[in-house]
Amino acid sequence: DSWELIDFFNNKINGYILYDNLNANGSNNPESLSVATSLAGLLMAVPITADSEHLALSHNLTIVLDVRGKDEQWLFDNYKNQLNKDMFALQDLSLPQALRDWVALNNMLTISQPTTSSLFNQVADSMNPNAEVYGWSESELEVYQILNFTKKGLRLQASNYANNFAILSQINAIPSQKTSEVVISEGDERYVTFIVGDGDSPSWLLSYFLSGDARTNPDVPDWYGNILRGEFSMGWSITPKMMELAPTVLKYIYDNATFKDNFVALSPGGYIYPDKYEDMDFYTEESVRLMQEADLEYLMSISYLQPNSSNLKTFCDDFHSYDQINGTILYSTYDLTGWDGEIVSSNNKPCIGVKYALWADTGGGNPNFATSGAELATKVNTLSTGLSNPNSYAIVYVQAWLRDGLGIVQEAIDNFDSDTRVITPDRFMELVKENIIDNVYSDFFETSQ
């Protein structure tokens, strides 16, 4: 148990930090929890509540610091220059365990206040350029907090429910993707690829991605653990940051893939809006480094752009100057399907907007949203056919919070016309490159000549 572990490492522990007791329901906890977990690694001291102090004393620990009644502002004012300047945590006080081992390991300053608070701005301004934020702001809308991170030059790793990074990050592994199914065109067809979102969240990859949703039905996995996986081609978004946070988990995911599974890197340098990020040289180089280590060649990204016909290529140009990245899939926080499947060439590589979304609601009446597989099939079946026709290709973004996710995808496939091919994202991008991008350049040079 934990006390046996403390006894084993007693000669490495300086003592304990005393912080306020948690409420019985684990909510509205005093900010001394943030203080104690932030200082645990720095002071090499075990965080202890008052009701466990007698146990600490019986195991030969002595008090190092009493932070009862201390808040996060006190923590910042007194320890900002001693704690990590390259990363900090934004962690809700209702989560007393998740992520806090990673905080202690890295001497990270931890706050629970939103990105609109004075303290957040103080902490953000004290960090080194391109610092990382771990956790999530529970009280804010996603679009606003990501915009605030981006404007501050911070890169988010959504990890507020993540456990055991301190251990998982220390176990080495070399993951590599399996070769996906080869596509042999059978004539006049249309081509569809499905990609499940939220893979840029390490929290999700360590929980609901692999198993069932604990809030609904934990025994029936919706996604990677679903019995339907391998029955049809699927794309999975994933963050290559797992190479540093949990490489054995990434290896497990790759090793258990079928030849119908394929992975694309979502927000590889951290969750930001790249079109609003100041140091894109750093961000793209970090993305390329991690994608190379994680054996990923296609990028998926979200922008703050209002989609229009002129800005798709501009967004992709930053990434396509690197050999590691062979194509980009893009969607916008304003309109997930706003580019309507548009295909453009960027550095002779495909840059493609999401065409359709399988979503839990109608997206405010968006005609490219579908709430069921049958509804999606009705839309897809109206597309043109033909390898060299850009209107024959469609990327479907699949919301990670759909119940019976793969079941809905199966329903769509069952209702597709016979001339619709479902393929993995890598094969989809290859077909676009060979039959759309290369053809455009070939026609241009022939005409010029």
Side-chain angles (χ1 to χ4, degrees):
D1 61 18
S2 57
W3 291 107
E4 183 180 7
L5 193 67
I6 286 172
D7 288 339
F8 187 85
F9 289 105
N10 191 275
N11 65 333
K12 299 181 182 295
I13 299 172
N14 291 333
Y16 64 91
I17 300 173
L18 197 61
Y19 71 101
D20 292 294
N21 286 345
L22 307 179
N23 291 345
N25 63 0
S27 62
N28 301 317
N29 300 324
E31 292 182 10
S32 65
L33 170 63
S34 298
V35 179
T37 49
S38 298
L39 297 178
L42 181 68
L43 302 179
M44 290 301 291
V46 181
I48 296 292
T49 54
D51 57 0
S52 298
E53 187 174 16
H54 68 286
L55 293 172
L57 294 171
S58 69
H59 285 265
N60 300 314
L61 297 181
T62 58
I63 189 167
V64 171
L65 187 64
D66 186 346
V67 298
R68 289 176 296 178
K70 305 297 184 185
D71 60 16
E72 293 162 359
Q73 185 67 57
W74 177 90
L75 170 69
F76 177 77
D77 291 341
N78 288 273
Y79 289 93
K80 61 183 176 183
N81 293 324
Q82 298 179 55
L83 294 170
N84 200 322
K85 292 290 187 179
D86 292 316
M87 58 179 71
F88 71 97
L90 190 61
Q91 184 68 329
D92 195 88
L93 294 171
S94 65
L95 300 170
Q97 296 179 0
L99 189 64
R100 296 183 186 275
D101 62 316
W102 187 239
V103 167
L105 178 66
N106 291 288
N107 297 338
M108 293 163 60
L109 194 150
T110 309
I111 62 173
S112 59
Q113 299 182 33
T115 66
T116 54
S117 67
S118 171
L119 180 57
F120 172 84
N121 286 310
Q122 294 175 60
V123 173
D125 292 342
S126 73
M127 291 288 133
N128 291 331
N130 301 298
E132 291 182 300
V133 183
Y134 287 85
W136 188 261
S137 179
E138 294 278 352
S139 61
E140 293 180 85
L141 288 175
E142 181 172 340
V143 60
Y144 296 123
Q145 65 172 300
I146 303 306
L147 184 60
N148 287 336
F149 291 139
T150 302
K151 288 180 175 179
K152 288 289 185 181
L154 303 169
R155 300 171 297 121
L156 175 69
Q157 303 295 342
S159 49
N160 52 329
Y161 285 94
N163 291 303
N164 300 324
F165 279 161
I167 291 177
L168 292 173
S169 63
Q170 305 304 304
I171 309 173
N172 294 326
I174 303 177
S176 61
Q177 284 205 62
K178 293 179 179 177
T179 301
S180 55
E181 185 176 27
V182 174
V183 176
I184 301 174
S185 178
E186 296 178 357
D188 204 27
E189 299 171 312
R190 63 180 66 87
Y191 301 91
V192 177
T193 191
F194 293 92
I195 305 177
V196 181
D198 273 38
D200 56 350
S201 167
S203 284
W204 190 67
L205 293 174
L206 289 173
S207 55
Y208 305 144
F209 174 73
L210 294 167
S211 59
D213 189 335
R215 299 167 301 178
T216 53
N217 191 347
D219 298 323
V220 182
D222 291 313
W223 301 113
Y224 209 66
N226 192 288
I227 58 173
L228 289 174
R229 187 172 63 83
E231 295 295 316
F232 43 82
S233 295
M234 276 298 297
W236 308 94
S237 65
I238 202 162
T239 171
K241 187 67 179 181
M242 292 292 281
M243 280 299 300
E244 296 178 352
L245 299 175
T248 53
V249 176
L250 184 61
K251 187 175 189 303
Y252 172 87
I253 292 169
Y254 283 179
D255 288 352
N256 284 275
T258 72
F259 70 102
K260 291 181 179 290
D261 295 311
N262 180 246
F263 299 86
V264 298
L266 178 57
S267 306
Y271 187 5
I272 61 164
Y273 297 132
D275 47 299
K276 292 288 185 181
Y277 199 75
E278 184 174 351
D279 192 353
M280 273 305 292
D281 287 342
F282 175 90
Y283 186 83
T284 50
E285 289 171 7
E286 181 73 353
S287 297
V288 167
R289 177 184 69 84
L290 289 168
M291 287 176 65
Q292 188 171 27
E293 292 178 2
D295 192 23
L296 295 161
E297 61 176 313
Y298 294 106
L299 169 73
M300 191 171 188
S301 186
I302 182 170
S303 79
Y304 195 73
L305 292 168
Q306 184 80 40
N308 64 58
S309 59
S310 65
N311 57 22
L312 186 62
K313 177 182 181 301
T314 303
F315 184 97
C316 293
D317 285 345
D318 280 330
F319 296 103
H320 287 186
S321 60
Y322 294 86
D323 291 340
Q324 181 65 32
I325 300 176
N326 287 322
T328 298
I329 297 161
L330 186 62
Y331 59 101
S332 167
T333 187
Y334 279 108
D335 187 348
L336 184 64
T337 63
W339 278 286
D340 196 29
E342 184 178 353
I343 299 172
V344 298
S345 176
S346 166
N347 198 22
N348 201 27
K349 299 174 184 179
C351 177
I352 310 176
V354 166
K355 175 70 174 180
Y356 297 115
L358 265 177
W359 209 256
D361 57 47
T362 60
N366 188 324
N368 286 352
F369 274 47
T371 59
S372 70
E375 183 184 2
L376 175 67
T378 299
K379 300 174 187 295
V380 169
N381 290 337
T382 64
L383 294 177
S384 304
T385 58
L387 268 173
S388 59
N389 186 341
N391 296 317
S392 301
Y393 295 84
I395 296 170
V396 180
Y397 182 101
V398 183
Q399 186 186 29
W401 303 105
L402 287 174
R403 299 279 70 83
D404 189 28
L406 287 191
I408 295 176
V409 174
Q410 177 72 76
E411 179 190 8
I413 294 171
D414 290 343
N415 284 278
F416 284 161
D417 289 345
S418 59
D419 53 359
T420 301
R421 292 284 299 277
V422 178
I423 57 180
T424 54
D426 57 340
R427 302 307 182 194
F428 182 94
M429 299 296 274
E430 288 169 3
L431 286 183
V432 170
K433 172 71 167 67
E434 294 166 5
N435 298 283
I436 306 296
I437 304 300
D438 290 349
N439 271 353
V440 168
Y441 278 85
S442 175
D443 291 346
F444 170 77
F445 285 117
E446 281 185 20
T447 304
S448 298
Q449 189 173 4

